[in-house]
Amino acid sequence: MAGPEAEQQSVVLYDIEDKPPLGKAIPLGIQHVLAMFLGNVAPPLILAGAVGSITGETTFLVQMALIVAGIATIVQAYPVGPVGARLPVVMGTSFAFLGPLIGIGNQFGIAAVFGASLLAAPVEVIMGVSFDRFRQYFPPLVTGIVVMLIGLTLIPTGMNYAAGASAGPSAEGYGSVVNLGLAGLVLIVTVGLNQFFEGFLRVISVFVGIIVGYAVALALGVVDLSAVAAAGWVTVPVPLKYGLAFEPSAIVTVAFLYIITGMETIGDISGTVSATGRDATREEIRGGLVADGVMSVFGAVFNALPNTSFSQNVGLVNFTGVASRYVAGIGGVVLLALGFVPKVGAVVSAMPDAVLGGGALILFAMIFSSGARLITQNVELDHRNSTILAMSMALGLGVAFRPEILQNFPSEVQTLFGSALVTGGMTALILNIVFPGGSVGTGPTEYTAGLKPEVAEAGAGAPPVDDD
């Protein structure tokens, strides 16, 4: 548990309500965009490459991802009623949904992707209203396992892209020297900047790696820029361009993922506010979760994947000491402006698979790393917890590696439990409840760092106790 507010120290140069001079605020806002740009555009790029029905739609999907992320970020900084945290929370499309949504898209079509995203999104709104009631069921052990599975299940996709073909080993040019060289260059530049440099270069190391890889690809003549020349300068969003379809198993799968990303949002909000020397309030967390849900509904209508808070921007707040929501709002405006310029989307869409793969592979690996860190820093890996970890990873990865094990079940069951996140996450959730000595009913609850339980807040600094 975080200590009393008096014992916490603020590390910010600009607090949440501060407004830096515009000459400083604009580059600081652009910095937020640079830190999250690849993470925001990579999911629609990968989805478009993996789901055959939307091949050739990458420019449009990237534009929609930028527009929705911009609006969602502005709403988090400057709430609309109860929607928004009034904090510098930068929003974007989430990798957590990518693997399952690719499966849903290939099985049921792209309309089912947006239908499930829309119909399941109220789950996060409900979480925002009643998060203190469900929090004990998602201690760091459970959420850490799910985050690890997110990273691990995306690794094969990242490898396909690094080999130069999102379609897989059967595609022409898969694993060619040029493709592996481009992916390797992005990896080397990114890791080098991240490990041997400090400051801004380290913060945007992935972005710089992608730029270097893209430039070399241009020099080698392996980039087709014909779509950039054909793209216009201004576009108008088209709501429900691909329609909506509602498949029960897809909706349940996505609903579970909303719960997981909701827990990530709680952690991101807590991490952002902790930089100012205090704990996040109920209103901030509730507003942030409600915004996650509402803006994901908005995103589904406007052909964007579910939106959630971006952890890399939480690190940026703590690293730079700039916690101003005014700065984050400017970043949202920049995202919005970029989304309305089709040529920007076309330039991103023309990026060779190998270049994107080199950056995406690092992001996927770091997702796994963050889940592992969540567990090692917050969970004692005793016999009970080690068993839960082992069983959850085994079953989750088992269905991912051998989906044929479910071939005799109805397609709805295959879609739901064929997801490593659902099978592994549900295993962790259930075992954590059933096995004695854990956080639900049989011992002290492992609360998310920086979050005070209701009883502690009501008791004016009283230590946390179980309601059970």
XYZ file of all heavy atoms in Angstrom, residues 249-294:
327
model
N -20.050 -15.553 -28.567
C -18.729 -15.954 -28.063
C -17.712 -14.834 -28.224
O -16.839 -14.641 -27.360
C -18.241 -17.206 -28.800
O -18.166 -16.979 -30.197
N -17.824 -14.074 -29.315
C -16.917 -12.943 -29.523
C -17.160 -11.866 -28.480
O -16.210 -11.260 -27.956
C -17.109 -12.379 -30.927
N -18.413 -11.619 -28.156
C -18.759 -10.582 -27.172
C -18.220 -10.953 -25.789
O -17.644 -10.114 -25.087
C -20.286 -10.377 -27.130
C -20.766 -9.794 -28.468
C -20.678 -9.455 -25.977
C -22.268 -9.808 -28.634
N -18.382 -12.233 -25.400
C -17.891 -12.674 -24.089
C -16.368 -12.547 -24.026
O -15.804 -12.103 -23.019
C -18.328 -14.121 -23.811
C -17.677 -14.636 -22.525
C -19.842 -14.205 -23.687
N -15.699 -12.934 -25.106
C -14.233 -12.836 -25.152
C -13.775 -11.395 -24.960
O -12.892 -11.098 -24.149
C -13.705 -13.366 -26.497
O -14.071 -14.737 -26.648
C -12.186 -13.235 -26.574
N -14.385 -10.483 -25.708
C -13.977 -9.083 -25.635
C -14.342 -8.476 -24.279
O -13.605 -7.645 -23.737
C -14.610 -8.281 -26.789
C -14.283 -6.799 -26.669
C -14.102 -8.814 -28.134
N -15.482 -8.903 -23.701
C -15.878 -8.399 -22.379
C -14.823 -8.734 -21.335
O -14.487 -7.900 -20.480
C -17.228 -8.990 -21.980
N -14.285 -9.948 -21.400
C -13.239 -10.336 -20.455
C -12.003 -9.464 -20.644
O -11.363 -9.042 -19.676
C -12.882 -11.810 -20.643
C -11.822 -12.301 -19.696
C -12.136 -12.633 -18.382
C -10.503 -12.429 -20.106
C -11.167 -13.080 -17.502
C -9.518 -12.877 -19.239
C -9.862 -13.195 -17.933
N -11.678 -9.158 -21.903
C -10.508 -8.326 -22.173
C -10.715 -6.905 -21.663
O -9.770 -6.253 -21.210
C -10.212 -8.313 -23.673
C -9.829 -9.669 -24.277
C -9.693 -9.560 -25.784
C -8.536 -10.190 -23.658
N -11.945 -6.409 -21.714
C -12.230 -5.082 -21.158
C -11.964 -5.064 -19.643
O -11.504 -4.050 -19.101
C -13.681 -4.682 -21.426
C -13.910 -4.019 -22.759
C -14.786 -4.556 -23.686
C -13.259 -2.833 -23.096
C -15.014 -3.946 -24.913
C -13.474 -2.214 -24.310
C -14.353 -2.772 -25.224
O -14.558 -2.158 -26.429
N -12.271 -6.150 -18.977
C -11.999 -6.219 -17.535
C -10.497 -6.096 -17.279
O -10.053 -5.357 -16.395
C -12.542 -7.534 -16.944
C -14.079 -7.554 -17.011
C -12.082 -7.711 -15.493
C -14.702 -8.871 -16.575
N -9.711 -6.804 -18.079
C -8.264 -6.788 -17.900
C -7.693 -5.407 -18.198
O -6.893 -4.856 -17.430
C -7.595 -7.849 -18.795
C -8.099 -9.253 -18.415
C -6.084 -7.763 -18.681
C -7.907 -9.612 -16.964
N -8.092 -4.805 -19.319
C -7.567 -3.477 -19.647
C -8.085 -2.433 -18.667
O -7.425 -1.415 -18.439
C -7.936 -3.065 -21.084
O -9.355 -3.153 -21.268
C -7.252 -3.971 -22.095
N -9.256 -2.686 -18.072
C -9.745 -1.797 -17.026
C -8.815 -1.796 -15.825
O -8.521 -0.743 -15.241
N -8.322 -2.967 -15.459
C -7.365 -3.047 -14.361
C -6.060 -2.346 -14.723
O -5.433 -1.698 -13.882
C -7.094 -4.517 -14.012
C -8.295 -5.262 -13.455
S -9.006 -4.485 -11.977
C -7.662 -4.656 -10.820
N -5.661 -2.455 -15.974
C -4.465 -1.729 -16.420
C -4.679 -0.222 -16.321
O -3.772 0.527 -15.932
C -4.127 -2.110 -17.864
C -3.594 -3.517 -18.018
C -3.217 -3.837 -19.448
O -4.038 -3.620 -20.352
O -2.089 -4.302 -19.670
N -5.881 0.229 -16.653
C -6.192 1.656 -16.576
C -6.111 2.151 -15.132
O -5.613 3.254 -14.868
C -7.587 1.939 -17.158
O -7.577 1.646 -18.558
C -7.988 3.400 -16.956
N -6.608 1.353 -14.198
C -6.514 1.718 -12.784
C -5.046 1.914 -12.397
O -4.676 2.890 -11.737
C -7.167 0.648 -11.890
C -8.690 0.633 -12.107
C -6.847 0.905 -10.416
C -9.405 -0.493 -11.375
N -4.201 0.973 -12.834
C -2.783 1.094 -12.541
C -2.152 2.310 -13.201
O -1.334 3.004 -12.590
N -2.554 2.595 -14.447
C -1.997 3.755 -15.148
C -2.400 5.062 -14.474
O -1.583 5.980 -14.335
C -2.473 3.758 -16.608
C -1.796 2.681 -17.438
O -0.752 2.164 -16.985
O -2.304 2.354 -18.524
N -3.658 5.170 -14.081
C -4.119 6.387 -13.404
C -3.394 6.551 -12.075
O -2.947 7.651 -11.727
C -5.644 6.343 -13.205
C -6.357 6.478 -14.556
C -6.106 7.444 -12.248
C -7.859 6.312 -14.481
N -3.265 5.453 -11.344
C -2.565 5.515 -10.059
C -1.119 5.929 -10.249
O -0.579 6.743 -9.488
C -2.637 4.147 -9.368
O -3.977 3.760 -9.133
N -0.471 5.384 -11.280
C 0.920 5.721 -11.551
C 1.103 7.168 -11.971
O 2.084 7.815 -11.602
N 0.148 7.693 -12.735
C 0.215 9.094 -13.165
C 0.079 10.037 -11.977
O 0.865 10.968 -11.803
C -0.889 9.389 -14.199
O -0.687 8.575 -15.352
C -0.877 10.853 -14.603
N -0.926 9.791 -11.158
C -1.199 10.678 -10.025
C -0.120 10.573 -8.955
O 0.197 11.553 -8.283
C -2.595 10.367 -9.439
C -2.844 11.186 -8.181
C -3.682 10.647 -10.462
N 0.485 9.393 -8.818
C 1.518 9.230 -7.781
C 2.699 10.155 -8.025
O 3.410 10.517 -7.082
C 1.987 7.770 -7.739
O 2.683 7.421 -8.928
N 2.905 10.569 -9.272
C 3.999 11.496 -9.566
C 3.779 12.844 -8.897
O 4.736 13.578 -8.635
C 4.130 11.690 -11.079
N 2.523 13.181 -8.597
C 2.214 14.466 -7.973
C 2.250 14.381 -6.454
O 1.973 15.377 -5.770
C 0.831 14.968 -8.422
O -0.192 14.120 -7.859
C 0.711 14.966 -9.935
N 2.540 13.196 -5.903
C 2.670 13.057 -4.460
C 1.395 12.721 -3.723
O 1.293 12.970 -2.522
N 0.430 12.162 -4.438
C -0.811 11.768 -3.763
C -1.372 10.514 -4.432
O -0.854 10.048 -5.455
C -1.851 12.889 -3.825
C -2.326 13.234 -5.237
C -3.442 14.271 -5.210
N -3.888 14.685 -6.527
C -4.784 14.043 -7.247
N -5.320 12.925 -6.801
N -5.139 14.510 -8.449
N -2.428 9.963 -3.835
C -3.114 8.819 -4.415
C -4.249 9.280 -5.324
O -4.798 10.370 -5.142
C -3.703 7.920 -3.315
C -2.625 7.211 -2.506
O -1.647 6.754 -3.126
O -2.767 7.116 -1.274
N -4.593 8.444 -6.284
C -5.729 8.746 -7.154
C -7.027 8.697 -6.357
O -7.197 7.857 -5.473
C -5.783 7.742 -8.301
N -7.936 9.615 -6.653
C -9.229 9.634 -5.967
C -10.205 8.686 -6.657
O -10.001 8.254 -7.787
C -9.832 11.049 -5.995
O -10.136 11.406 -7.363
C -8.851 12.058 -5.419
N -11.299 8.367 -5.949
C -12.345 7.539 -6.552
C -12.864 8.179 -7.827
O -13.106 7.511 -8.830
C -13.511 7.361 -5.579
C -13.218 6.596 -4.319
C -14.545 6.286 -3.623
N -14.348 5.906 -2.238
C -14.371 6.745 -1.229
N -14.549 8.036 -1.450
N -14.209 6.328 0.002
N -13.081 9.493 -7.783
C -13.653 10.190 -8.936
C -12.737 10.103 -10.152
O -13.206 9.934 -11.281
C -13.917 11.655 -8.581
C -15.046 11.880 -7.580
C -14.675 11.462 -6.167
O -13.441 11.387 -5.865
O -15.587 11.184 -5.373
N -11.444 10.205 -9.933
C -10.499 10.128 -11.050
C -10.504 8.739 -11.676
O -10.528 8.602 -12.914
C -9.096 10.509 -10.568
C -8.952 12.007 -10.279
C -7.673 12.345 -9.543
O -7.084 11.452 -8.894
O -7.250 13.522 -9.598
N -10.471 7.711 -10.837
C -10.443 6.355 -11.371
C -11.767 6.011 -12.036
O -11.793 5.421 -13.129
C -10.109 5.349 -10.257
C -8.657 5.550 -9.816
C -10.326 3.920 -10.737
C -8.219 4.675 -8.678
N -12.868 6.386 -11.404
C -14.171 6.110 -12.005
C -14.322 6.839 -13.334
O -14.785 6.260 -14.327
C -15.283 6.522 -11.043
C -15.430 5.568 -9.867
C -16.362 6.094 -8.808
N -16.489 5.147 -7.704
C -17.002 5.428 -6.522
N -17.444 6.648 -6.267
N -17.088 4.500 -5.594
N -13.942 8.108 -13.370
C -14.034 8.865 -14.612
C -13.168 8.284 -15.710
O -13.573 8.225 -16.880
N -11.968 7.818 -15.332
C -11.069 7.226 -16.312
C -11.611 5.932 -16.883
O -11.538 5.688 -18.097
N -12.182 5.072 -16.023
C -12.749 3.813 -16.489
C -13.991 4.038 -17.347
O -14.178 3.374 -18.373
C -13.096 2.919 -15.294
C -11.911 2.298 -14.554
C -12.367 1.635 -13.263
C -11.201 1.264 -15.440
N -14.835 4.971 -16.925
C -16.029 5.279 -17.713
C -15.616 5.796 -19.092
O -16.214 5.434 -20.115
C -16.918 6.303 -16.983
C -18.028 6.820 -17.908
C -17.536 5.678 -15.736
N -14.580 6.627 -19.143
C -14.092 7.135 -20.434
C -13.561 6.003 -21.300
O -13.776 5.993 -22.518
C -13.010 8.186 -20.199
N -12.867 5.047 -20.702
C -12.411 3.875 -21.457
C -13.584 3.209 -22.167
O -13.520 2.902 -23.367
C -11.764 2.864 -20.502
C -10.250 2.987 -20.467
O -9.735 4.065 -20.807
O -9.589 2.007 -20.093
N -14.659 2.957 -21.407
C -15.814 2.271 -21.974
C -16.545 3.100 -23.014
O -16.839 2.618 -24.116
N -16.830 4.348 -22.679
C -17.594 5.209 -23.584
C -16.818 5.463 -24.876
O -17.376 5.399 -25.985
C -17.938 6.547 -22.891
C -18.532 7.536 -23.892
C -18.919 6.306 -21.753
